[in-house]
Amino acid sequence: MEDRLGQGVRSAPGAEPADVAASPARLPGDLLVDRRFGRAEITAIRHEVSARVSAAGLGGDRLQGFVLAINEMVTNAVVHAGGHGRLALWLADGSAFCTVTDSGPGIPAEFLAEPGVPAAYQVGGRGIWLAHQLCDEVTVATGPIGTTICLRILLPHHAVRS
């Protein structure tokens, strides 16, 4: 099913049966993290993601950028989408992937267009823009029952060299 913005729509994390929501078999590759979060877990998630992706070989500015992008998506879920969500982090096909899912009202259309540089005076609106700057791929599925954002970054031994 697709919503009016052409983005895919999927069930909210709270609406999934418990056995489906907890099933790591739905994700390809090596699952590193699959957990629900709320405001109190933001810092712990940032440290856990950093440690897991670092152990997979990502380092330096790319590691810090990927962790920052994930932190922004987790923070957006907490601040704008009901205060909690679900994060899954896994390795597949030479990349690290992270999905952040919430059961909020969906992302407004003005934040879904190809993000431009936010105005200096603009309050907020930088999270998705940052994700596009720091990750190799950003995909969004959003609608009235929630949002899933998937971030992907190539691991160093798979990065394209010029």
Side-chain angles (χ1 to χ4, degrees):
M1 178 192 306
E2 295 206 335
D3 70 358
R4 62 181 166 31
L5 298 172
Q7 301 291 323
V9 178
R10 44 95 206 110
S11 63
E16 296 171 343
D19 61 330
V20 172
S23 172
R26 295 176 53 213
L27 300 174
D30 298 323
L31 184 65
L32 303 177
V33 178
D34 185 1
R35 63 181 283 183
R36 294 182 186 275
F37 62 85
R39 182 176 304 272
E41 290 83 32
I42 293 174
T43 301
I45 282 181
R46 187 173 58 247
H47 290 294
E48 184 175 8
V49 164
S50 181
R52 299 291 176 99
V53 178
S54 176
L58 193 62
D61 290 343
R62 290 197 32 98
L63 171 64
Q64 297 307 315
F66 191 55
V67 171
L68 175 60
I70 292 168
N71 187 74
E72 287 292 319
M73 299 307 102
V74 168
T75 302
N76 281 351
V78 167
V79 172
H80 302 293
H84 60 276
R86 179 178 175 198
L87 178 137
L89 176 70
W90 71 97
L91 305 177
D93 301 323
S95 295
F97 293 85
C98 182
T99 57
V100 177
T101 302
D102 65 56
S103 55
I107 299 174
E110 65 266 20
F111 295 110
L112 290 174
E114 184 64 33
V117 178
Y121 59 84
Q122 181 177 335
V123 176
R126 288 177 176 77
I128 293 175
W129 177 80
L130 274 171
H132 278 274
Q133 306 312 303
L134 299 170
C135 299
D136 294 314
E137 182 179 16
V138 177
T139 56
V140 178
T142 192
I145 61 167
T147 298
T148 295
I149 296 180
C150 184
L151 308 176
R152 180 182 67 85
I153 194 161
L154 286 170
L155 295 173
H157 54 283
H158 290 80
V160 177
R161 307 222 192 276
S162 51

